[in-house]
């Protein structure tokens, strides 16, 4: 069948990403927006846009019935969920199917099978794909829990079976902490995922987080597009991603890719998905979970393979065969992504919503900016803090890192605080340049990231004082502005 | 018309600098202690300043964050307080040392209280965690800005709060 | 030798391009600016910036002595000329050398040899590279001219020997027009290039303009990076370029590349250069000239080859060997460039200088924006109209065209008029999509590009009327604005 | 306070439309002849307007070019004249038909006269080339805005001109 109109059941940069792909395929796009998002970029860019309710996600972006109704009313024949929100919600996929809408993603059964981490672990085990030592069923009851814990050994992790995104996770270093950690994890999981089931896994110290992109069509072909290294995280949330991983050689890549494809095939997977692994210092890898959606960081894979993943998603959803065989997947050079979030990294990553009064995005050779923001856009308080994904490609990792440093230096955001200064420190750090990455990297270097360092201190003082000097000066300036000054005066408010 | 020379008191980190400025846009002379700078300074967009200092070219982002001035230069961030001298004198005359005295923790955004680390009567040091709020899908720790004793805790775990709500009072 | 600091003897987007490359190589950059360019982007982005005089190029960007003096005073050890201005001026290259500055470009001798089009034609002839039938020496004297013209046959072209960029060119359709055309070409050439010498060439009707990128190091290695198709022109000025050419197959590519490398080698060429050919319907090609500089449209070659030409320029200038062998040059996919000029295509391409009060550049997957503009930037009246080069890459030409259409639709420039609407029509045109390109294409389709077409007429009326409605409404609105309105009010001046 | 309904006269190409607008930002009702549109219209940046018309989303760039309003929608360009009705009546009362009458060609930018295609006494039709100016490294043709007779040519080929200089007068 041919897809003619797609409703994008998401917001922000990923909605923009999907709308762009639709436009390039000659497919009409339908945006949805909460009352907080009428002026969001995805609304401006889509061919059509419809309101779906108040700002809280539960009343808008998570409201399955509203989304399906709008999709039908607008004449859409397919729905793309993006990531987050309902992207891994089997009930949503089913509701779309029941309404005669193509869900651009895997079949509900695959979402269910892989959504339960313990079920996914069982699939991997039956395939002989190594998993992190731990339980393969949710555990409950203090006794059973202690027994299982002893078998696994401490330190270990308590994880939510239906979890993801670092929520409902707890490290337990000794049996004495076990019960308390369990209770906390259960309550967090129940709150975040509506299901308190948890299981146990051995805790690996500073492992590498490496994930493999897979793509499957409805004709039974499954291919992988190489790996992504996502070890730079804060609180289990990724900040910097790259492909290929400096740690993965051709043979490990092949073993990882082969394992990932087998898991996907066994789960009857279709469309784009990501298989996550932990890799230890000896290059042993362990299956962690499979994400049944397009990943935030899919762009770095696109830049090294030249394959447009969202385009392939749409083609596969329309029942077409994948446009590529495994042999067609050739990785060229290296790509890095930095997440520009509206947060203040210098005060505990506190969110920084508000109006973006000045924006100058990086551009130029091999720089890709996937953004949901524009100058004058107000970052709402209700959603996650991701503003833009800044990506670069380079002929090799060293070139890509230098280019990212250049791009971050160009990227100016005024009005809200962002992660840009910390990202710049990360890519400049010798361990990062040396490829010494681990999930503990950021916590290790954060203490060294302090404000007010000497280097450009005088420059900062001069800029701040001139701003104040001009502000005072213009207060006493009574003559009416000449027309050509309007623009500057219009911008004055920023100088408070 | 600005006066020939204006004096500012700049607080940056723990240091305080006296800075003198003269001139008219775009040419200024700025004196920081013993340093004297001839500056060609232009506002190229809101908050984005272009500075030429004897040939060296800098772009500085200047913005106001709750009363203090945040400046990004390259990948360095600076947090300053800039006051015209007389205002500074008026403000600081007879004030107690900065940071001491009672403080009130107010929710900056709507969110949900995840956990509370203190109870009334607790003694807290500067930097001690007071509580954690979930907002914009992230958990954020709030710490004591200075030492003191917890006088009130006005919220409970799980409670939804609005921006501006008083959460904790420290005497 | 190592290059540590480069003075960029240019302005606008190409100066920005070079500064970015320097930053990525860890090389300091020195910008120069005329009094009209203090707030130009290249000044903001460079590590250092120095004034070099009044706006007229002759007193600033063409002032060899000033440029050399600033380079020495700033401690630069190399000079990059960009394109235009002094890029193909042998005297400037010599002056740099004499001052101990590395000129990032070919040796003066090669610039001279190839700068005289008749000398270049002689080189090609001795190598057996086909040239357009015509004279191999400047011609003068009515008699000799008529004789030569008869031999070549009409229609023919009169061209300036030292010319370029479409100046000093005249088509002559019959002998009666010859003398007059000659006089005009001579005076134009004398005015534009300080040399009135002209020669004759047969006029090819709607030929394809195809150029080959070459790169040579000082160790005698010369490679080519495939071709660019530049047939979409108006008044001999390029508007859209792409690589590869839809018209060139592997065998023609190899023949063109081989011929280009031989010309470069014979001229003792070093660094980046471009060899231009005309190709007729039967795929016969004729050497036209060699441009001894980085080309405006170099980016499309970079996107398909993955080779950073400016980086290679700097490496070669430092005496290093090319980082690539011919076999390493692999073209992947297709790239297109559109030139966004500050011109009004609907009234004779009239320049449209002024302040850019609103700017939203295209971005996202495989979109590259090499721009010299930013929101709030005032386009000066003294220089050429190029604001930005919008480039896209696609897995094939069709994908690249769809992506360019998408990117052009995203690109918003307010305050000055631009070529964007015409570019959008070009990439949407069936002949362009079919690869039916020729230098006559644009003149052929221009008449169909009229304003006020029905399609979005009502939308335009609504937008225009609402703007006026708001303007009137706010006139009578006397209450003081709330702080949060400052920004909008600041932007009001645009609503006149 | 805007009135309940405001009437505008819109000239687009050779056509003239009467347009009625009512409502307050961001919700308007716009009537163009027989078409009635319910519009959700927002100014998202200077001159960049977001319009939702019953679900259809458009972005329109609106700007002033020498008195007329230039609007880009997608890849289409529109040149309009928008006037509140009473102003339109005042302006047009007793005026001769648009386009006719004397016209003066003024240099819009500094440049150099490349060539001149007319001489005093020549009869010109609308669209006839009058002269060519080189500015910003490009040659630009200037054409007659309406028919008439060349009364004066105030420049010569090669001459440098400044923005605002009168070049040709047509009676």
């Amino acid at each position: 069948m041919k897809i003619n109109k797609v409703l994008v059941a998401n917001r922000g940069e990923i909605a923009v990403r999907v709308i762009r792909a639709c436009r390039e395929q000659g497919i009409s796009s339908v945006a949805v927006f909460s009352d907080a998002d009428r002026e969001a970029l995805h609304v401006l860019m889509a061919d059509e846009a419809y309101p779906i309710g108040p700002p809280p996600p539960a009343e808008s972006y998570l409201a399955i019935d509203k989304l399906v109704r709008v999709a039908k009313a607008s004449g859409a024949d397919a729905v793309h969920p993006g990531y987050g929100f309902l992207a891994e919600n089997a009930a949503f996929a089913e509701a779309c199917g029941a309404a005669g809408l193509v869900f651009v993603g895997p079949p509900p059964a695959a979402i269910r099978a892989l959504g339960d981490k313990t079920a996914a672990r069982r699939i991997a085990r039956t395939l002989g794909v190594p998993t992190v030592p731990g339980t393969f069923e949710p555990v409950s009851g203090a006794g059973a829990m202690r027994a299982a814990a002893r078998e696994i050994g401490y330190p270990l992790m308590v994880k939510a079976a239906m979890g993801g995104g670092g929520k409902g996770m707890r490290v337990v270093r000794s049996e004495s902490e076990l019960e308390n950690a369990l209770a906390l994890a259960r309550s967090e999981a129940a709150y975040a995922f509506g299901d308190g089931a948890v299981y146990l896994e051995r805790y690996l110290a500073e492992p590498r987080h490496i994930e493999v992109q897979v793509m499957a069509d409805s004709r039974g072909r499954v291919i992988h597009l190489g790996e992504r290294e996502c070890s730079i995280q804060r609180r289990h949330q990724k900040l910097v991603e790259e492909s290929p991983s400096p740690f993965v050689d051709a043979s490990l890549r092949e073993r990882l890719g082969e394992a990932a494809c087998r898991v996907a095939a066994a789960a009857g997977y279709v469309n784009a998905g990501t298989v996550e692994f932990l890799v230890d210092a000896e290059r042993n890898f362990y299956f962690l979970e499979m994400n049944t959606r397009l990943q935030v960081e899919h762009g770095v894979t696109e830049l090294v393979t030249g394959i447009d993943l969202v385009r392939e998603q749409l083609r596969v959803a329309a029942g077409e065969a994948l446009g590529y065989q495994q042999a067609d997947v050739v990785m060229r050079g290296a790509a890095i992504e930095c997440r520009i979030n509206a947060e203040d990294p210098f005060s505990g990553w506190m969110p920084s919503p508000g109006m973006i009064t000045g924006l100058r995005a990086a551009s130029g050779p091999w720089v890709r900016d996937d953004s949901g923001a524009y100058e004058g856009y107000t970052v709402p308080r209700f959603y996650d803090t991701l503003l833009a994904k800044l990506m670069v490609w380079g002929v090799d990792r060293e070139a890509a890192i230098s280019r990212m440093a250049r791009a971050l230096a160009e990227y100016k955001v005024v009005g809200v605080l962002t992660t840009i200064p910390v990202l710049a420190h990360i890519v400049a750090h010798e361990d990062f340049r040396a490829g010494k990455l681990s999930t503990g990297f950021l916590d290790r270097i954060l203490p060294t990231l302090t404000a007010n360092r000497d280097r450009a201190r005088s420059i900062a003082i001069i800029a701040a004082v001139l701003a104040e000097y001009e502000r005072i000066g213009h207060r006493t300036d009574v003559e009416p502005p000449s027309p050509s000054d309007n623009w500057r005066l219009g911008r004055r408010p920023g100088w408070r | 018309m600005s006066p020939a020379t204006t004096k500012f008191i700049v607080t940056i980190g723990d240091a305080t600098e006296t800075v003198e400025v003269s001139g008219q846009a775009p040419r200024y002379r700025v004196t920081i202690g013993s340093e004297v700078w001839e500056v060609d300074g232009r506002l190229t967009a809101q908050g984005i300043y272009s500075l030429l200092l004897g040939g060296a070219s800098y772009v500085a982002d200047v913005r106001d964050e709750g009363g203090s001035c945040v400046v990004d230069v390259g990948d360095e961030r600076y947090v300053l307080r800039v006051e015209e001298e007389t205002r500074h004198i008026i403000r600081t005359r007879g004030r107690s040392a900065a940071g001491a005295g009672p403080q009130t923790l107010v929710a900056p955004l709507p969110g949900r209280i995840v956990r509370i680390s203190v109870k009334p009567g607790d003694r807290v040091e500067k930097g001690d965690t007071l509580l954690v709020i979930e907002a914009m899908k992230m958990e954020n720790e709030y710490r004591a800005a200075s030492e003191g004793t917890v006088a009130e805790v006005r919220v409970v775990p799980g409670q939804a709060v609005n921006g501006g709500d008083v959460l904790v009072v420290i005497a």
Side-chain angles (χ1 to χ4, degrees), chain A residues 191 235 343 351 360 381 383 412 424-425 452-453 455-459 465 469-470 488 494-496, chain B residues 12 17 21 23 28 35 43-46 49 53 61 64 75-79 112 136 138-140:
Chain A
Y191 175 81
R235 301 190 200 149
E343 301 167 12
R360 204 169 291 167
R381 314 178 144 183
Y383 312 110
K412 305 287 175 199
H425 278 88
N452 302 329
R453 309 201 316 173
R455 219 176 78 207
R457 187 172 182 275
S458 298
I459 309 306
V465 168
Y469 180 73
E470 282 298 312
R488 289 225 181 295
W495 288 85
R496 265 163 295 137
Chain B
I12 178 167
E17 302 270 6
V21 184
Y28 310 89
E35 308 169 17
L43 179 60
T44 65
Q46 180 173 358
Y49 224 130
L53 306 165
D61 304 354
D64 176 70
D75 58 357
E76 301 290 348
R77 172 165 296 170
Y78 300 84
V79 182
R112 188 182 63 89
M136 287 176 91
M138 291 179 36
E139 298 191 352
N140 307 286

Side-chain angles (χ1 to χ4, degrees), chain A residues 4-26:
Chain A
N4 299 305
K5 189 187 276 193
V6 172
L7 178 132
V8 184
N10 215 304
R11 64 177 301 283
E13 69 82 19
I14 191 59
V16 170
R17 169 71 182 96
V18 174
I19 289 164
R20 282 171 165 154
C22 288
R23 183 147 297 155
E24 292 172 4
Q25 301 307 300

Side-chain angles (χ1 to χ4, degrees), chain A residues 141-154 175 178 200:
Chain A
M145 189 70 73
R146 258 196 303 281
R150 286 212 189 87
E151 197 178 307
I152 295 161
Y154 292 92
E175 187 159 321
L178 188 58
L200 303 184

Side-chain angles (χ1 to χ4, degrees), chain A residues 19 40 53 142 146 154 179 206 248 252 279 288 357 371 380 437 471:
Chain A
I19 289 164
R146 258 196 303 281
Y154 292 92
E179 267 185 73
E206 293 213 2
V248 174
L252 177 56
V279 181
L288 205 53
T357 53
S371 171
L437 311 176
R471 192 177 68 83

